[in-house]
Amino acid sequence: MGDKLGIGVDIGSTATKVAVLDGTGALVHTELMPTGFSSVDAAERVADALRAAGFPVDDEGVRVVATGYGRIAVPYANKVVTEITCHGIGAARLFGPAGTVIDVGGQDTKVIQLKGGRVVKFAMNDKCAAGTGRFLEIMADRLGVSQEELSALARKGEETKISSMCTVFAESEVISLIGRGVPRADIARGVIDSVVARVAALAGQAAGGPYFLTGGLCENAFVVERLSSLLGAPVTTCPEARYAGALGAAERALHI
């Protein structure tokens, strides 16, 4: 191939994201796939997908940086970099060098404060699934809908309190609400508001806006609206924000 390429592989607990940058720093390719049961298997599938797309990971001039939950499981990575650093770099590329990055992942939520394109402070909720994408997944399953349908329902629902801080107890609360005949739209609203409240509380530990949303919920317009409302400031996002960690990793790869 000959041309320089930087590849970022972000293996999250739920989804694996890949970004490929050419020598000029332009984004030329992305991949998104479920991580599945094994990070090692996910890394192999990434390599296969990249070869099929014309970006062999072992080609001369190709540099790979791995990040995320499964970063140590990528045997062809030239370097491993923490997700905090990579999300900061990727968000700065997408949104600008200063602000607060809110990354809602499958198993944790990270809030990263950027100044001058660098991470100056961060906070993380990784002790409990409440306030993460996994919580929404569990509750959507309990209501018999997809995550997209959950948000569509929530938009039509009335405010409903789900007070439990623990996913297990919150699920019991949802089952109780279903049993009492509370409309699904109201329960969906309660679920979304419960997650957003926890995310906003964590984001409140940072120095303030502008706020940028990255991760799997970046295309969930209702979550963005509710988060903006609770924070009292606009939350900016874009479809590429799902790849923020991979983009940051690919930027680092170009400089190896």
Side-chain angles (χ1 to χ4, degrees):
M1 187 178 289
D3 296 334
K4 187 169 186 180
L5 289 176
I7 298 178
V9 179
D10 177 8
I11 299 185
S13 58
T14 302
T16 291
K17 290 78 62 180
V18 182
V20 182
L21 302 181
D22 67 15
T24 71
L27 179 63
V28 293
H29 185 72
T30 58
E31 293 279 351
L32 175 67
M33 62 185 73
T35 296
F37 74 97
S38 163
S39 298
V40 173
D41 176 66
E44 289 174 2
R45 284 185 280 119
V46 164
D48 290 342
L50 286 169
R51 285 191 194 98
F55 305 107
V57 294
D58 51 1
D59 210 9
E60 186 182 354
V62 173
R63 296 292 180 269
V64 179
V65 165
T67 190
Y69 165 86
R71 60 187 179 273
I72 60 169
V74 186
Y76 46 85
N78 300 99
K79 193 172 183 180
V80 169
V81 179
T82 69
E83 57 259 51
I84 298 293
T85 298
C86 289
H87 272 276
I89 295 169
R93 172 190 170 102
L94 290 169
F95 303 114
T100 299
V101 183
I102 303 168
D103 177 68
V104 183
Q107 301 284 10
D108 63 34
T109 295
K110 296 177 278 289
V111 173
I112 305 164
Q113 192 178 333
L114 294 178
K115 198 172 284 185
R118 294 180 175 275
V119 176
V120 293
K121 184 181 175 184
F122 73 89
M124 183 184 293
N125 160 36
D126 58 358
K127 300 291 189 291
C128 177
T132 68
R134 178 64 182 147
F135 180 87
L136 287 181
E137 193 178 302
I138 291 167
M139 298 308 165
D141 285 348
R142 177 55 66 187
L143 289 171
V145 296
S146 68
Q147 286 205 48
E148 292 77 17
E149 290 167 333
L150 183 75
S151 289
L153 272 174
R155 192 180 286 280
K156 296 183 245 175
E158 300 292 329
E159 285 190 23
T160 302
K161 189 78 173 168
I162 293 175
S163 55
S164 297
M165 295 293 287
C166 169
T167 303
V168 174
F169 293 133
E171 189 174 8
S172 296
E173 233 180 302
V174 166
I175 291 168
S176 174
L177 290 170
I178 293 169
R180 290 189 349 233
V182 174
R184 279 202 310 175
D186 292 358
I187 300 172
R189 172 68 181 268
V191 165
I192 296 283
D193 281 351
S194 174
V195 168
V196 169
R198 284 162 177 74
V199 173
L202 189 68
Q205 297 177 27
Y211 293 101
F212 314 125
L213 181 66
T214 64
L217 297 182
C218 66
E219 294 182 73
N220 190 317
F222 189 63
V223 166
V224 175
E225 285 173 29
R226 296 299 299 141
L227 195 51
S228 297
S229 176
L230 280 186
L231 289 171
V235 175
T236 304
T237 191
C238 64
E240 292 78 22
R242 176 186 283 270
Y243 298 93
L247 279 167
E251 289 261 13
R252 288 293 292 265
L254 279 180
H255 297 98
I256 293 175

